[in-house]
Amino acid sequence: MPITPYVALDLQQLEKNVRGMTGKLTQQGIEHWPHIKTHKSVELAKFEIACGAKGITCATLQEATVMAKGGIDHILLAYPMIGEQKCQQFIELAKKIKLRTIIDSLQGAEQLSAAAKQENQIIEVYIAVDYGAHREGIQLDDLEPFALAIQKLPNLKIIGVFTYAGTIYQYRTEPEIRKAAKAEADLLLSCQERLEKLGITAPRTSGGSTLSSFYADELKGITESRAGNFIFGDMNAIYGGIYTPEDCALTIRTTVVSIPIEGYATVDAGTKTLTSDQSAEPGFGYIVEDPNIKLVKLNEEHGYLRYDPKQIKLNIGDVLNIIPNHSCVIPNLTNKIYVLNNNEIDHIITPDARY
């Protein structure tokens, strides 16, 4: 085995997660366009497509470029293109593959339109609508005037509406998450209907986080889900009630390197291996071997454990597995993911789009 800390990925659980999520969506007539920012790997993106995904979603132009070079030719870039240089680079990539993106400002749309017109390309775009997370998207009251303005721009073709319902991660129970997923689908479908009343055909509706897509029956009616985190799982999925620790395919393996006093231990995984992202409960991850051991603090190379020495025996040299709070950050912190088949190294995955 490699020296710790390192990222371990269980092959059997990975496959179960991918086939499970894509199967749920397919049963409801929803295309899966998984977000590859979770893993940043051409190999894993191709595996998701082999399991039924219709394309992939990327967060950055760099990710899309790497995936295209890796042979993937249907990509949604779920990020507004702003700036002449970025729009020109987008158009160059769109000449080579089927590339779509989102718009939520007239400025960005005009820049993309100008770049597309210059290169005689027609670019398919989704109108991004703000669900309430206020991360991106136009406000609902602005939908009609914004759509009409975009329709007048040359070389852009509105194909649908898009939203990110990130507020769903505040919920912890199945009824709450189901209700939020249904509201997400209703928003997209109502926006689609409003556009059609304007004479704008918008056949595609793009939404779906890992939480909402787990209850895919509540999303029925939308055309595509961008669920991405499902492939690994993490504490967000566990706190959301859709995964157990056994469902999480990715862990960080770390070694106890110091026990200064009883009840206090240090492991060799800190912020450069894990993530400082918080989740629903205090701490920075879940110790698989004993959840009563708490990971309470991180420095760059150090993780601080607290435990009851009367109940738990830790020794220097013990190897522990940590489920991170947010697994999507992990591949961007490492250049190697060790794929385990029955706890033996099968091969190494490179996060190709890491930066």
Side-chain angles (χ1 to χ4, degrees):
M1 287 293 182
I3 62 172
T4 62
Y6 66 92
V7 180
L9 184 60
D10 185 277
L11 184 61
Q12 286 76 27
Q13 191 60 51
L14 169 84
E15 182 172 354
K16 182 179 178 181
N17 292 351
V18 173
R19 294 191 185 281
M21 178 60 77
T22 303
K24 285 176 182 285
L25 293 165
T26 301
Q27 286 177 1
Q28 302 302 324
I30 302 171
E31 294 181 4
H32 194 190
W33 288 64
H35 219 313
I36 62 87
K37 68 178 181 180
T38 301
H39 53 73
K40 293 180 174 286
S41 161
V42 170
E43 176 184 331
L44 291 180
K46 287 184 174 180
F47 180 69
E48 289 174 313
I49 291 171
C51 290
K54 299 302 182 182
I56 63 169
T57 302
C58 293
T60 69
L61 188 54
Q62 181 193 12
E63 284 181 357
T65 300
V66 170
M67 293 295 137
K69 287 181 178 178
I72 297 171
D73 58 6
H74 283 66
I75 298 176
L76 165 59
L77 181 46
Y79 208 95
M81 293 294 97
I82 301 297
E84 292 182 6
Q85 182 179 5
K86 186 170 284 188
C87 288
Q88 289 169 358
Q89 291 176 352
F90 178 93
I91 298 302
E92 288 302 314
L93 185 59
K95 291 179 181 178
K96 303 171 184 176
I97 64 169
K98 186 74 169 181
L99 182 64
R100 302 164 171 165
T101 191
I102 66 172
I103 53 171
D104 71 346
S105 72
L106 188 57
Q107 176 184 347
E110 287 174 342
Q111 291 172 340
L112 188 61
S113 169
K117 183 178 180 182
Q118 182 177 348
E119 297 296 327
N120 194 31
Q121 296 290 307
I122 303 297
I123 300 301
E124 295 181 339
V125 297
Y126 298 73
I127 294 176
V129 178
D130 184 2
Y131 181 86
H134 306 317
R135 190 174 78 173
E136 78 269 311
I138 63 167
Q139 300 307 300
L140 284 174
D141 291 345
D142 298 327
L143 178 62
E144 284 84 357
F146 183 77
L148 290 172
I150 299 305
Q151 193 179 36
K152 294 176 183 178
L153 295 176
N155 295 74
L156 296 186
K157 180 181 179 182
I158 299 171
I159 62 166
V161 289
F162 167 110
T163 199
Y164 170 64
T167 53
I168 197 171
Y169 284 95
Q170 67 185 295
Y171 301 120
R172 297 287 171 264
T173 68
E174 180 176 339
E176 289 176 319
I177 295 171
R178 282 186 172 277
K179 182 178 179 180
K182 180 65 163 55
E184 178 184 354
D186 288 346
L187 173 79
L188 287 167
L189 295 172
S190 66
C191 288
Q192 181 185 52
E193 183 178 353
R194 286 166 61 181
L195 291 181
E196 289 175 350
K197 288 180 178 178
L198 291 178
I200 298 175
T201 301
R204 304 195 69 83
T205 42
S206 176
S209 61
T210 289
L211 281 188
S212 63
S213 299
F214 189 82
Y215 303 108
D217 55 313
E218 302 293 354
L219 293 176
K220 189 170 184 177
I222 73 170
T223 61
E224 61 194 55
S225 163
R226 306 186 308 276
N229 175 267
F230 71 94
I231 191 171
F232 292 156
D234 57 16
M235 293 311 297
N236 288 330
I238 290 172
Y239 290 135
I242 65 168
Y243 275 15
T244 67
E246 291 72 27
D247 296 320
C248 294
L250 180 142
T251 60
I252 288 83
R253 291 197 171 175
T254 185
T255 300
V256 177
V257 295
S258 182
I259 303 178
I261 61 174
E262 287 190 341
Y264 290 67
T266 304
V267 293
D268 59 2
T271 57
K272 290 181 177 178
T273 305
L274 288 156
T275 168
S276 57
D277 284 10
Q278 296 288 300
S279 193
E281 301 291 338
F284 295 92
Y286 176 97
I287 308 300
V288 173
E289 285 71 19
D290 192 331
N292 291 311
I293 303 171
K294 303 301 180 182
L295 181 59
V296 299
K297 181 181 176 181
L298 300 177
N299 291 152
E300 292 177 77
E301 313 292 354
H302 300 79
Y304 294 65
L305 302 183
R306 299 290 182 266
Y307 62 98
D308 182 353
K310 295 179 181 178
Q311 303 293 327
I312 299 167
K313 180 63 175 176
L314 276 182
N315 299 295
I316 291 175
D318 285 350
V319 176
L320 304 175
N321 284 274
I322 301 172
I323 297 174
N325 284 345
H326 187 193
S327 64
C328 296
V329 182
I330 305 304
N332 207 47
L333 298 175
T334 184
N335 56 15
K336 292 180 180 179
I337 299 174
Y338 292 86
V339 180
L340 305 183
N341 187 350
N342 295 317
N343 209 35
E344 296 292 334
I345 294 178
D346 185 88
H347 66 288
I348 295 173
I349 286 178
T350 300
D352 308 279
R354 177 184 181 228
Y355 57 90

